[in-house]
């Protein structure tokens, strides 16, 4: 089991709310990633970071933002949730080629 | 896009049978990886094969890579009910030159169901 954690695991929230999805890893990995995945579909990279104070947007346009103030912590924030944000969000970390994934947060915006 | 495409989209077999999944990609790669995802969970890395390798084994897994056809296959031998999951191939950015900027692009996956 990889030492990467995501909270909450499930979140149901109303439109317009601000939410933060937490991701932490205890492996000291420099590289961290956020993916969005709809059921039965591929993963889309929405944000990544190569170290503290380094963040980049991924291949899929997203209205979310991220920060990387500490190596172990890579939170994702949605300022105003919308039903189109309903999806599963997966966090991963890496110190090489292999990526280690957290269990995911399933977000439903009503 | 560097996206891999898995084939078939879904595969249902009996326990003990072999399962073969294929992945095709569009441009050159440095390496290709296979991941497994159990329903509603995160992905777990299975195996990595480099562009200069043709075949690799890990337990009941056998991966092949044909860079001339831009394709890879994952074979699971003597399948078990616990192998039921989605399997994804992931390719890297061909412009990656060994620095820290490493990204993967995942395919749509093959859903494997192993019936007891």
């Amino acid at each position: 089991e990889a030492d990467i954690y995501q909270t909450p695991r499930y979140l149901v929230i109303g439109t317009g709310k601000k939410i933060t999805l937490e991701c932490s890893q205890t492996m000291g990995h420099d590289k961290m990633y956020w993916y969005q995945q709809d059921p039965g579909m591929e993963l889309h990279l929405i944000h990544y970071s190569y170290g503290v104070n380094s963040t980049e947007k991924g291949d899929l346009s997203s209205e979310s933002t991220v920060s990387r103030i500490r190596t172990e912590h890579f939170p994702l924030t949605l300022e105003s949730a919308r039903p189109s944000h309903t999806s599963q969000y997966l966090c991963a970390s890496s110190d090489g080629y292999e990526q280690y994934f957290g269990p995911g947060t399933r977000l439903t915006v009503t | 896009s560097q996206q891999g495409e898995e084939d078939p989209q879904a595969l249902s077999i009996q326990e003990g049978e072999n399962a073969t999944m294929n992945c095709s990609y569009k441009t050159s790669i440095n390496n290709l990886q296979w991941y497994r995802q159990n329903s509603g969970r995160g992905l777990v890395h299975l195996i990595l094969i480099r562009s200069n390798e043709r075949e690799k084994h890990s337990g009941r897994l056998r991966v092949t890579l044909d860079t001339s056809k831009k394709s890879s296959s994952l074979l699971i031998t003597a399948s078990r009910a616990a192998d039921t999951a989605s399997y994804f191939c992931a390719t890297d950015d061909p412009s990656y030159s060994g620095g820290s900027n490493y990204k993967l692009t995942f395919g749509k996956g093959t859903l494997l169901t192993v019936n007891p």
Side-chain angles (χ1 to χ4, degrees), chain A residues 32-51:
Chain A
M32 296 190 73
Y33 307 84
W34 275 104
Y35 294 91
Q36 185 175 341
Q37 183 187 30
D38 292 325
M41 300 298 288
E42 68 267 48
L43 282 72
H44 291 288
L45 180 67
I46 52 175
H47 296 283
Y48 58 100
S49 167
Y50 296 134

Side-chain angles (χ1 to χ4, degrees), chain A residues 81-92:
Chain A
R82 296 211 299 265
S84 60
H85 295 139
T86 294
S87 190
Q88 173 157 267
Y89 293 83
L90 294 167
C91 180

Side-chain angles (χ1 to χ4, degrees), chain A residues 16-35:
Chain A
K17 300 291 186 182
K18 177 180 178 179
I19 58 172
T20 296
L21 307 184
E22 301 287 350
C23 176
S24 294
Q25 50 97 4
T26 59
M27 297 172 282
H29 290 168
D30 285 331
K31 296 187 281 288
M32 296 190 73
Y33 307 84
W34 275 104
Y35 294 91

Side-chain angles (χ1 to χ4, degrees), chain B residues 2 13 37 44 47 68-69 80 85 90 93 98 102 104 115:
Chain B
Q2 182 65 291
I13 60 174
Q37 183 180 34
V44 175
I47 197 165
S68 66
K69 295 181 180 178
R80 306 166 182 167
D93 185 339
Y102 192 73
L104 293 176
N115 302 300

